[in-house]
Amino acid sequence: MSKKIRNNPLGINMDRRLFLKGAAAGLAATALPAAAEAFDMSAFLQKHFREMTEDEIKKVIARLEKEASLEWKKDIHISAAKATPGVKFGYGLDLSRCIGCRKCVYACVSENNQSRSPQVHWISVLRFKKGEKWIDLENSEKYYNPKQVPEKDFFYMPVQCQQCENSPCVKACPTQATWKEPDGIVVIDYNWCIGCRYCMAACPYGARRFNWSKPDIPANELNAETHYLGNRPRYKGVVEKCTFCIQRTRAGKYPACVEICPVGARKFGNLLDPKSEIRYLIENKRVFRLKEDLNTNPKFYYFFAT
Amino acid sequence: MKVLFAAIGNVVKGDVRYYAWLAFLSALIVAGVGAYLQQFDKGLIVTAMRDQVSWGFYIANFTFLVGVAAAAVLLVIPAYLYNFKPIKEIVLFGEMLAITAVTMCILFIMVDLGQPLRVWHLLPVIGRMNFPASILAWDVIVLNGYLAINVLLVLYALYRLSMGKEYKLALIFPLILLSIPWAVSIHTVTAFLYNGLSARPFWNASILAPRFLASAFCSGPALMLIILQLIRRFSKIEIDQKAISKIAELIAYTIGINLFLLGAEVFKEFYSGSIHKAPLEYLFFGLHGNSRLVPWTWMALLFNITAFIIFLIPKTRESFLTLNIGAALIIAGVYIEKGMGLVVPGFIPDTLGEIYEYWPTMQEVIITVGIWAFGALLYTLMVKFALPIYTGGLIGAGKQRS
Ligand code: SF4
Ligand code: SF4
């Protein structure tokens, strides 16, 4: 892990641990423990994403790109592509096909720059024993580890952010750091989140992840194609979660998990387009959504194709 | 003016015990700040909180202290509205306790934040407060408002007293009237903070807010009982025995109500036996072999029942020994019940049915102790400042000293 201070207007380059020692010695004199962390005035005063003008967004992105390229020694691109009018994304997951291989989990990690240590996963694949009651999730197993999948006596249910239309997390957030975009994706401004974790308490689907420490991503594994509201590198102390791969889907591609799934259990498309595959599934298959009783109105549909 | 300076001077004067107490608290605070700097540097990974249990000891302490702050109202209502003499004399100490408790609440929230420097984001105007949708935004408003009201009330009372006059009702009556529902509101809003989350069946029960209030009105006044006796012991202030027994009597009622509400909750969950009883089962019996909180839950219950009996029987309520034992028991009982016993089971099992057993790390404990020490220091200094003004000791003495 780099100990260099990230981007520091005064150009002071101080080893963090050294600084801490000094701080411990002269604790009383340290008026601002903030100095122990990379302190950048323009980052500190940065406005909420939705309050910035196009110009301001450009400036912020330029600064963030510079910071990131200093840290990972490679160029990274942060897009701020907007939602396409007439699009509302929806997801379908075929439970009759999923074999519990977790390929989606790891494709997501590398596409979306999740921390490798400690490991952060946006998708949880739950394993259930066939023949047992299952929908209350209490008897599910998240850390199953067989030699081979699928296993005879089990079935699997992947869970990720359900992109609720009526999202409890958005309602809970005290700073509006998380909100629903016009294309239905619930996003987070990682520069606005204060890390109170109220949204995590509010989410009924265990979808939100907190950066308990500084995320650790090896430079050679960093995905440099990012979106401001999606997979750009995150900070310690902020919340993150699945964004339907906003950087890909707003550019006309499928989410990484849809692409990787070896059995084609994952479907994705525009809910407003009557001819889309997702609409076909919803209208013709036996679909259900998780925890319907909470009235969160998810845009994530589970179904049985066979 | 002279009185004010004399009072400030008085804060730094004291006997050896006083200095030892200050030094002890300062040492704890320094340890806490050191631990916090480390947490600030490494992140909240130094705590035992994880994605499954995303709030822990800090928020537990916060919740308990909101209750303590709210309970100040119990002393304010009779003092101001019914002009009940003995309580009127001690109401100032209740308000100072409220100030201390709210300050500690704010500190506990601050140390729990992942990005504490961005805290201004949740202020209105300069930040982007999600009002009225987010209950946390409501909580920020009511807590800070409550702090402001109590600071004003205390300052006013001290000002009047330092002029050698009784404090007058007429002037601040609207503020006092406001402070009563406001005290109820800080606790209600904090209860709603949990209560409003449909994702967490343990909190999403209508009985939560009433239970919050009932338990706050047990522990807050009990804390006052102990503090008042200490003040009586270490100063010349006379605190009427009648005031003490009045408070003790109030506590008996509130514990009774609290126990009844607990019973109602236990009945509903276990009799109907839906899967939503899992968190309560975790608390009382453990879940799938995980039983970290079980001994604490039963201990709290035992404490609460014992305290109830002590405060109910006039004889034990009036004897100092048993009175103090009862007060200590109910404080400890509510601390467990409304702290860890409320926050942690909300996350166990988590929303996807996983069980992660949370127990605070050393780091969390040191930071927490540091904040408690800070609260104790703040209260000590405030009392030390107010006492001479209060007893009027400085009005005559002020002249001689200068
Ligand atoms: S699944 Fe959770 S994180 Fe995603 S939109 Fe719904 S409440 Fe928010
Ligand atoms: S952790 Fe961040 S996104 Fe979540 S509620 Fe708090 S400020 Fe909002």
Side-chain angles (χ1 to χ4, degrees):
Chain A
M1 205 172 83
S2 146
K3 270 193 222 138
K4 289 266 162 57
I5 283 183
R6 260 209 208 168
N7 176 21
N8 157 340
L10 300 174
I12 306 169
N13 231 345
M14 203 198 271
D15 185 279
R16 198 185 289 168
R17 194 160 301 155
L18 204 81
F19 180 86
L20 265 190
K21 262 187 211 148
L27 210 67
T30 320
L32 251 192
E37 182 61 2
F39 190 73
D40 181 330
M41 216 25 165
S42 53
F44 176 65
L45 293 176
Q46 185 181 320
K47 287 201 270 183
H48 187 280
F49 185 72
R50 287 199 288 181
E51 273 173 5
M52 288 193 277
T53 62
E54 298 284 319
D55 258 8
E56 285 171 318
I57 292 179
K58 268 201 199 100
K59 267 197 213 119
V60 162
I61 285 184
R63 174 171 52 79
L64 295 175
E65 285 177 341
K66 206 172 117 212
E67 274 176 25
S69 66
L70 278 176
E71 182 157 354
W72 280 278
K73 311 268 176 299
K74 75 192 222 188
D75 281 343
I76 118 154
H77 176 239
I78 301 175
S79 139
K82 289 208 176 69
T84 318
V87 172
K88 186 153 270 195
F89 290 121
Y91 207 107
L93 205 147
D94 185 353
L95 288 176
S96 55
R97 280 190 201 208
C98 175
I99 54 169
C101 66
R102 292 203 191 97
K103 283 218 157 67
C104 51
V105 176
Y106 291 96
C108 175
V109 168
S110 68
E111 167 66 30
N112 288 300
N113 291 323
Q114 271 111 293
S115 168
R116 312 301 204 266
S117 157
Q119 278 194 59
V120 173
H121 293 172
W122 287 354
I123 305 176
S124 312
V125 184
L126 305 180
R127 183 180 80 169
F128 296 86
K129 202 159 171 53
K130 284 182 186 158
E132 272 180 13
K133 70 167 186 163
W134 62 288
I135 205 64
D136 56 284
L137 309 175
E138 220 209 292
N139 294 314
S140 70
E141 168 67 46
K142 204 158 141 189
Y143 307 102
Y144 63 91
N145 194 16
K147 282 203 187 63
Q148 220 184 343
V149 287
E151 303 153 276
K152 203 169 110 267
D153 300 327
F154 297 95
F155 67 98
Y156 309 88
M157 180 165 77
V159 183
Q160 60 212 67
C161 173
Q162 312 279 303
Q163 314 292 356
C164 313
E165 270 298 280
N166 181 10
S167 23
C169 56
V170 169
K171 200 157 82 176
C173 177
T175 63
Q176 306 183 23
T178 187
W179 68 90
K180 196 176 77 204
E181 285 278 290
D183 52 5
I185 304 179
V186 174
V187 295
I188 302 162
D189 181 349
Y190 312 118
N191 281 65
W192 194 259
C193 169
I194 60 172
C196 66
R197 309 189 293 293
Y198 193 29
C199 54
M200 299 180 76
C203 171
Y205 305 100
R208 296 190 154 239
R209 300 286 175 268
F210 185 69
N211 285 289
W212 298 98
S213 65
K214 187 177 184 308
D216 178 36
I217 313 159
N220 60 344
E221 290 177 26
L222 186 83
N223 176 8
E225 274 314 309
T226 72
H227 192 286
Y228 183 93
L229 300 172
N231 62 337
R232 69 182 167 108
R234 270 85 61 190
Y235 308 93
K236 162 186 89 190
V238 300
V239 166
E240 59 181 61
K241 64 164 193 71
C242 161
T243 64
F244 276 173
C245 282
I246 197 168
Q247 68 282 358
R248 297 169 60 95
T249 46
R250 281 198 181 166
K253 291 192 245 172
Y254 277 121
C257 48
V258 171
E259 240 169 41
I260 196 93
C261 180
V263 291
R266 290 170 170 268
K267 310 291 179 196
F268 186 77
N270 182 2
L271 292 171
L272 300 182
D273 173 5
K275 287 201 279 299
S276 66
E277 189 183 16
I278 186 77
R279 279 287 290 272
Y280 176 84
L281 291 170
I282 293 170
E283 281 152 27
N284 295 290
K285 301 289 172 189
R286 291 155 293 161
V287 297
F288 75 97
R289 292 177 298 178
L290 220 46
K291 306 196 187 188
E292 287 265 28
D293 55 328
L294 303 184
N295 201 23
T296 51
N297 200 0
K299 293 191 289 294
F300 200 99
Y301 294 84
Y302 291 93
F303 67 101
F304 298 93
T306 51
Chain B
M1 257 307 145
K2 268 186 199 137
V3 175
L4 202 65
F5 283 124
I8 292 172
N10 191 65
V11 170
V12 294
K13 277 188 223 117
D15 56 6
V16 182
R17 272 182 316 180
Y18 178 61
Y19 286 124
W21 173 239
L22 293 193
F24 170 67
L25 292 180
S26 310
L28 293 181
I29 294 171
V30 169
V33 173
Y36 179 70
L37 279 182
Q38 213 178 4
Q39 177 188 299
F40 188 89
D41 181 51
K42 295 211 179 99
L44 286 159
I45 191 99
V46 302
T47 72
M49 291 183 274
R50 291 296 177 262
D51 290 334
Q52 296 87 339
V53 179
S54 46
W55 281 344
F57 203 39
Y58 299 147
I59 299 298
N61 278 281
F62 160 79
T63 311
F64 173 76
L65 284 163
V66 173
V68 172
V73 75
L74 251 202
L75 304 172
V76 174
I77 297 176
Y80 286 110
L81 294 187
Y82 305 113
N83 223 355
F84 184 60
K85 186 75 172 127
I87 288 190
K88 185 167 178 180
E89 284 163 2
I90 56 177
V91 83
L92 200 57
F93 297 103
E95 280 161 355
M96 288 194 289
L97 184 64
I99 294 173
T100 310
V102 176
T103 310
M104 290 167 73
C105 285
I106 293 172
L107 285 176
F108 274 115
I109 293 291
M110 286 303 292
V111 298
D112 190 65
L113 290 184
Q115 288 279 348
L117 293 180
R118 295 185 189 165
V119 68
W120 60 274
H121 291 181
L122 55 69
L123 299 178
V125 190
I126 61 162
R128 208 177 145 101
M129 177 182 259
N130 189 9
F131 186 83
S134 170
I135 301 298
L136 201 50
W138 282 77
D139 218 17
V140 169
I141 294 174
V142 293
L143 279 176
N144 284 299
Y146 191 65
L147 183 62
I149 290 176
N150 278 293
V151 167
L152 277 177
L153 284 176
V154 167
L155 285 182
Y156 170 76
L158 285 181
Y159 170 74
R160 290 294 293 186
L161 288 170
S162 69
M163 307 287 281
K165 291 174 199 146
E166 262 288 280
Y167 45 103
K168 267 216 208 97
L169 267 180
L171 211 64
I172 46 165
F173 195 66
L175 207 56
I176 292 162
L177 269 190
L178 185 65
S179 83
I180 294 163
W182 205 291
V184 175
S185 85
I186 63 166
H187 218 44
T188 309
V189 170
T190 306
F192 285 174
L193 192 82
Y194 299 100
N195 201 183
L197 305 179
S198 58
R200 313 278 171 183
F202 181 64
W203 296 335
N204 196 213
S206 321
I207 208 164
L208 199 77
R211 271 199 75 195
F212 257 60
L213 284 170
S215 63
F217 289 156
C218 303
S219 57
L223 201 58
M224 277 310 296
L225 270 189
I226 293 183
I227 291 175
L228 289 177
Q229 291 177 58
L230 285 175
I231 291 172
R232 181 155 72 176
R233 180 111 177 254
F234 290 110
S235 78
K236 286 196 243 24
I237 283 204
E238 284 190 20
I239 289 163
D240 195 322
Q241 185 57 33
K242 262 197 350 230
I244 302 245
S245 7
K246 195 83 209 160
I247 298 177
E249 201 184 317
L250 281 173
I251 296 176
Y253 304 143
T254 51
I255 303 182
I257 296 171
N258 189 34
L259 285 173
F260 172 74
L261 294 180
L262 172 69
E265 189 171 16
V266 168
F267 166 78
K268 178 253 178 186
E269 295 297 354
F270 285 113
Y271 187 79
S272 55
S274 80
I275 56 162
H276 294 333
K277 76 173 190 301
L280 213 58
E281 203 176 333
Y282 172 73
L283 263 184
F284 281 96
F285 307 109
L287 206 58
H288 302 294
N290 303 287
S291 54
R292 194 103 214 208
L293 288 183
V294 173
W296 294 91
T297 312
W298 288 103
M299 196 158 84
L301 190 61
L302 189 74
F303 284 1
N304 290 351
I305 292 174
T306 319
F308 180 53
I309 296 168
I310 290 178
F311 283 107
L312 199 61
I313 303 171
K315 221 180 184 166
T316 42
R317 177 165 80 213
E318 272 144 30
S319 135
F320 271 106
L321 178 70
T322 42
L323 175 79
N324 284 322
I325 293 176
L329 286 179
I330 192 66
I331 293 169
V334 172
Y335 181 72
I336 297 168
E337 178 193 304
K338 275 283 137 337
M340 291 282 279
L342 174 96
V343 175
V344 175
F347 297 102
I348 296 177
D350 81 356
T351 48
L352 295 185
E354 188 183 342
I355 297 173
Y356 165 79
E357 283 219 282
Y358 166 86
W359 196 250
T361 61
M362 209 48 201
Q363 204 102 3
E364 280 173 279
V365 173
I366 296 175
I367 293 173
T368 301
V369 169
I371 295 178
W372 276 95
F374 176 81
L377 183 71
L378 183 66
Y379 195 72
T380 309
L381 296 181
M382 278 199 295
V383 170
K384 188 84 170 139
F385 175 79
L387 268 184
I389 299 182
Y390 192 70
T391 51
L394 289 174
I395 292 169
K399 278 189 204 118
Q400 289 162 17
R401 276 196 201 131
S402 57

